[in-house]
Amino acid sequence: MPWLCDLYASTRSDEMAQVPWPDHVKRQFLEQQCLLQHRHYLGHHGDASFLAIEHRNLGPVGNFYLLQTPPEHLIIHISLLPHMRASGLGSALVRQAQADAAALGRGVRLHVLETNTRARALYERQGFMAETSEGAHLSMRWCP
């Protein structure tokens, strides 16, 4: 969990830079949020694959949570360390999820934060179409 919390914190560093809290309070908050998110994923998607992404030279560089049940696969979560973002790794993970789903005649769905324009652009390049806005998240779907 400490590594997962470090990864989680890296995804919120821009946001937390705006918060006028001491660093140790920010860290406590981020650890709490990471644990709550992880528990939520386990509680709602217990049958999912919770994968750590490792680079052969760099060690762990991200995580990928994927539920592969009918009627569609669900990309629950993808996070990469800052130095691995925009490296093509996220695209490769999404393409593999699409290929695995297509081999079974299934589509793929996901949710992305409306404000995460980089991730949304990645999904749109991979053929995902926006469907509905659900609060702060946008539901997207890919069909083979």
Side-chain angles (χ1 to χ4, degrees):
M1 284 310 298
W3 181 83
L4 282 177
C5 288
D6 289 345
L7 175 63
Y8 179 84
S10 79
T11 68
R12 300 200 50 195
S13 60
D14 291 343
E15 173 189 358
M16 294 308 293
Q18 307 300 316
V19 178
W21 299 342
D23 287 344
H24 75 279
V25 174
K26 289 180 186 182
R27 182 62 191 192
Q28 288 173 341
F29 171 78
L30 290 169
E31 286 178 2
Q32 178 188 43
Q33 293 296 298
C34 175
L35 293 173
L36 288 170
Q37 180 187 64
H38 188 69
R39 283 189 203 132
H40 172 80
Y41 290 156
L42 290 174
H44 286 85
H45 307 292
D47 293 339
S49 297
F50 295 94
L51 306 171
I53 307 303
E54 292 193 28
H55 186 281
R56 69 177 149 252
N57 298 323
L58 303 174
V61 296
N63 62 8
F64 184 52
Y65 299 166
L66 178 66
L67 183 63
Q68 297 174 294
T69 57
E72 297 175 300
H73 292 188
L74 172 66
I75 295 176
I76 300 166
H77 187 85
I78 300 174
S79 287
L80 298 173
L81 289 173
H83 65 278
M84 294 304 294
R85 296 174 195 154
S87 70
L89 180 55
S91 294
L93 292 168
V94 172
R95 280 192 307 271
Q96 187 61 55
Q98 289 171 308
D100 292 346
L104 297 170
R106 300 177 187 161
V108 180
R109 62 187 171 91
L110 56 83
H111 295 86
V112 63
L113 274 172
E114 293 260 7
T115 57
N116 192 343
T117 55
R118 289 181 64 191
R120 182 174 175 180
L122 163 72
Y123 301 135
E124 288 172 346
R125 284 192 307 272
Q126 300 297 334
F128 283 81
M129 302 296 290
E131 290 200 319
T132 58
S133 182
E134 299 172 5
H137 291 85
L138 179 65
S139 175
M140 300 184 82
R141 177 171 274 120
W142 171 84
C143 296

